[in-house]
Amino acid sequence: MAGQTDKGDVGRIILSDSCVNEGAMWLARQDPRFADALAQCGPLPLRRKPEGFAELLSAIVSQQVSVASANAIWGRMVAAGLDQAAAIQVASDEDLRAAGLSRQKMRYARALAEAEIDFDALRHAPDEEVIATLTQVSGIGTWTAEIYAMFSLGRADVFAHGDLALQEGARLLLGLADRPTPAKMRKIAEAWSPWRSVAARVLWAYYRVAKDREGTR
């Protein structure tokens, strides 16, 4: 079963694979197309991630670079002790440049460090407040904030409406003529509440399966 914090306004929290399975079965009962997608995709991943400053800094590091490059840069930052807010605040531009950060990402990293986000408070804040708080920081867009809410905080009813893979997965699953816009995607995803985060997991998995199938033709 999905857990719940002391404050009911945060909704359901995904804690384990059984929580994901509960949401998947609910979606399958609501819409046979989800049942078909789940049959093709197999078990869905839990995808829980750590909370806190380092997770968001890692997301900034990963922006607009390959996975391999992001991993290399992040590895250098961790080795240099540059994965904590206090360290970023006192680091020189040369320190950050040596780890591989561009000038823009240096600015974003410093903005995050100076924001002094109360990560414990975020754990008990409603989804909308989490996203609003995070997106006030330069370098953190709505997608990054939604992903943090979904996977670091385990929120069960958050959806990344601007994610291109989710939009394309929805187009394929629902048989739409065109990939839905973020506004259209938001409207579509309302039907998947209170398990929109699990619906996202299904659509990401279904998108990969569909693209692999197309690639073998």
Side-chain angles (χ1 to χ4, degrees):
M1 295 291 289
Q4 195 162 356
T5 62
D6 293 337
K7 297 185 178 182
D9 55 3
V10 305
R12 304 293 295 271
I13 302 297
I14 292 176
L15 300 173
S16 65
D17 288 326
S18 64
C19 304
V20 176
N21 291 337
E22 179 187 351
M25 293 304 98
W26 184 90
L27 290 164
R29 290 193 300 270
Q30 298 298 310
D31 189 332
R33 292 172 293 192
F34 273 103
D36 181 61
L38 287 163
Q40 297 182 53
C41 298
L44 299 173
L46 177 60
R47 293 185 68 165
R48 281 302 302 264
K49 295 182 177 182
E51 297 178 38
F53 176 85
E55 188 64 26
L56 286 173
L57 181 60
S58 176
I60 288 172
V61 167
S62 300
Q63 291 173 359
Q64 298 179 324
V65 297
S66 69
V67 172
S69 294
N71 288 341
I73 295 169
W74 185 244
R76 290 194 293 270
M77 293 188 69
V78 171
L82 295 172
D83 57 343
Q84 299 299 320
I88 294 295
Q89 288 172 340
V90 300
S92 67
D93 285 356
E94 289 72 22
D95 293 332
L96 298 178
R97 189 179 298 111
L101 292 192
S102 65
R103 184 170 299 278
Q104 183 182 57
K105 289 185 179 179
M106 288 183 206
R107 187 170 71 252
Y108 291 163
R110 295 190 192 285
L112 178 61
E114 292 165 5
E116 298 183 344
I117 295 170
D118 186 339
F119 289 101
D120 288 335
L122 280 189
R123 192 179 302 128
H124 304 290
D127 299 336
E128 296 79 6
E129 183 178 331
V130 170
I131 294 167
T133 298
L134 295 181
T135 53
Q136 289 176 8
V137 181
S138 295
I140 298 180
T142 301
W143 183 89
T144 299
E146 289 166 341
I147 294 299
Y148 184 87
M150 292 169 70
F151 299 126
S152 291
L153 299 181
R155 301 300 172 85
D157 200 28
V158 174
F159 195 90
H161 306 93
D163 187 284
L164 295 180
L166 289 183
Q167 293 169 3
E168 184 65 7
R171 183 189 71 80
L172 294 169
L173 182 66
L174 304 179
L176 304 176
D178 300 302
R179 190 171 67 204
T181 64
K184 179 66 172 177
M185 192 71 257
R186 184 178 299 275
K187 185 67 175 177
I188 291 171
E190 288 176 358
W192 305 331
S193 180
W195 290 106
R196 280 177 281 195
S197 292
V198 177
R201 287 168 170 83
V202 177
L203 292 177
W204 274 316
Y206 186 70
Y207 172 75
R208 288 192 297 270
V209 168
K211 289 302 178 183
D212 288 345
R213 185 168 60 239
E214 289 176 2
T216 61
R217 288 178 182 172

